[in-house]
Amino acid sequence: MDERPKVLHVWDIGGNGAALAKVMGHDCIHRASNDPYHGTRMYSDRFVVRGGPRWFYAQAWWRARSADLLHIHGGHRMAERLAVRKMDYERPYPSEGGMVMGRDIVPRKPYILHYHGSDVWDHQSGSRRIAELGAARILVSTPDLLKLEYEKEPTYVPTPIDTGLFARRDIPNNNRGLAILIGDQGRDDTLRRLREYGFGDIEWTFRRRQYGHGSHGSITMHKDMPAMLSKYQYYCDFKWNRVHNKWHEATSQTALECMSLGMSTILHDGSVRDTLPDEHRLENVAERIGEIHREAMETRGMMVDGTGRAVPKGRA
């Protein structure tokens, strides 16, 4: 019988949860309707659940019962629904001679709260409080997210890139560039910024970020992204942050994928890079995540012994 700790990755952002689950031998659960580009199911069809929200939560709750640890990628609401029990209490308050009422946050299961961007940018710290108080660890996938307020000290873990899928290719020297616009980001504003940094003579193609089937015409499935991206010599990673009304400082996942392919990738500050930093390689991120999972098990009354088994403290 396999006694290694069982980890369930709940929800999936950009295929990150599924990729980590696949390489680490974990389970993952995501809604099929929220996986229109098959970034999750390309790793395993078992990772997606077909049906409405209630059916998804029922399936997630059922799988969570047999897991030792939950790794939640879907933001604070996902944690509140699956992993947190709120217990109201009334206790004596000696200095006042009366009673005080409050609420304890008791995790049903140890869980990691992993933020990837909009799941934290678009929500005030107060709305995330309950989920963050109950989390064993809070992870963020880009350094700029460290600047936000949290209930616990966050840890930066680089966005994982599957270098098997996004393997280095021969990139054409065709002076063509691709820029993917998000939200209400304007084409003219992006082109103006490109010219300011000296990239105005490139033949730019502007596309809107894909958000769902049919929302912006033709779509590109996740497995076909390498072929689509590598038609261009350059990729522009200028992204507008509509919450703070400024340009994003973080490097997007698509930009990292372009670097992995060998494309000249223009970052937020105008610098150019065509090689993926080693810290973003999937196997390296998986190793770091494994260390964090071990620490989370230890802090929640369980620890992992030398063979990888989950056992109570004092018995390893």
Side-chain angles (χ1 to χ4, degrees):
M1 183 176 65
D2 187 2
E3 294 183 293
R4 292 181 179 275
K6 296 180 180 179
V7 179
L8 174 64
H9 292 259
V10 181
W11 211 247
D12 196 10
I13 306 294
N16 292 331
L20 287 168
K22 183 70 173 181
V23 75
M24 299 179 75
H26 296 163
D27 194 8
C28 178
I29 187 167
H30 190 45
R31 276 188 70 195
S33 59
N34 290 90
D35 183 39
Y37 317 114
H38 295 196
T40 302
R41 73 193 77 185
M42 66 172 287
Y43 290 101
S44 174
D45 195 58
R46 170 180 161 76
F47 288 171
V48 295
V49 172
R50 293 163 178 81
R54 291 185 179 181
W55 179 245
F56 168 77
Y57 282 112
Q59 291 295 305
W61 180 82
W62 182 258
R63 288 201 206 175
R65 292 181 63 191
S66 60
D68 298 313
L69 178 70
L70 305 183
H71 191 126
I72 299 176
H73 300 267
H76 66 285
R77 291 197 179 96
M78 196 72 63
E80 290 175 13
R81 291 168 178 167
L82 289 177
V84 173
R85 181 168 65 249
K86 292 168 278 190
M87 300 180 64
D88 294 325
Y89 63 79
E90 186 174 335
R91 297 172 182 162
Y93 194 52
S95 63
E96 299 293 335
M99 304 293 288
V100 60
M101 299 182 66
R103 172 173 286 179
D104 282 336
I105 309 301
V106 183
R108 293 190 178 96
K109 185 86 64 173
Y111 66 92
I112 304 288
L113 195 57
H114 197 159
Y115 291 126
H116 295 271
S118 60
D119 49 0
V120 62
W121 276 119
D122 294 348
H123 298 91
Q124 298 293 326
S125 58
S127 67
R128 309 189 312 264
R129 183 173 183 272
I130 290 176
E132 291 177 1
L133 284 173
R137 293 287 292 273
I138 298 174
L139 310 183
V140 296
S141 61
T142 56
D144 62 317
L145 298 180
L146 293 171
K147 302 176 183 178
L148 302 180
E149 294 183 3
Y150 304 91
E151 295 297 326
K152 296 180 179 179
E153 189 72 22
T155 300
Y156 165 60
V157 176
T159 301
I161 300 300
D162 186 345
T163 53
L165 177 62
F166 292 90
R168 201 164 184 85
R169 297 184 173 210
D170 291 329
I171 302 301
N173 186 22
N174 57 12
N175 200 43
R176 296 178 61 203
L178 174 66
I180 297 179
L181 310 179
I182 63 173
D184 56 358
Q185 179 178 341
R187 176 186 180 279
D188 292 342
D189 291 336
T190 305
L191 187 56
R192 187 180 303 113
R193 186 173 174 86
L194 282 165
R195 287 170 177 162
E196 289 174 359
Y197 282 109
F199 301 105
D201 59 343
I202 296 171
E203 181 186 343
W204 288 103
T205 296
F206 294 91
R207 293 182 57 170
R208 285 284 168 188
R209 177 182 171 184
Q210 301 179 146
Y211 288 98
H213 280 304
S215 59
H216 296 291
S218 62
I219 65 170
T220 303
M221 306 305 280
H222 191 68
K223 66 180 179 61
D224 299 323
M225 283 292 287
M228 186 277 287
L229 293 170
S230 59
K231 294 177 182 178
Y232 302 89
Q233 182 179 356
Y234 297 93
Y235 179 77
C236 168
D237 197 36
F238 294 164
K239 299 290 187 291
W240 183 251
N241 186 328
R242 60 184 174 82
V243 177
H244 294 274
N245 201 34
K246 65 176 184 178
W247 295 98
H248 272 293
E249 298 177 6
T251 302
S252 70
Q253 180 172 331
T254 303
L256 293 167
E257 292 165 349
C258 289
M259 293 180 205
S260 184
L261 292 169
M263 296 171 60
S264 296
T265 306
I266 304 168
L267 304 181
H268 74 279
D269 58 359
S271 61
V272 180
R273 183 158 191 163
D274 63 2
T275 303
L276 180 71
D278 284 342
E279 67 174 4
H280 289 282
R281 296 180 68 89
L282 177 58
E283 61 272 21
N284 294 337
V285 178
E287 182 178 355
R288 178 70 182 111
I289 291 288
E291 295 171 356
I292 291 171
H293 287 171
R294 177 188 176 94
E295 294 167 3
M297 296 289 285
E298 291 174 348
T299 58
R300 290 295 174 176
M302 295 290 288
M303 67 181 299
V304 181
D305 68 6
T307 65
R309 295 179 304 163
V311 297
K313 283 186 176 180
R315 292 179 54 188

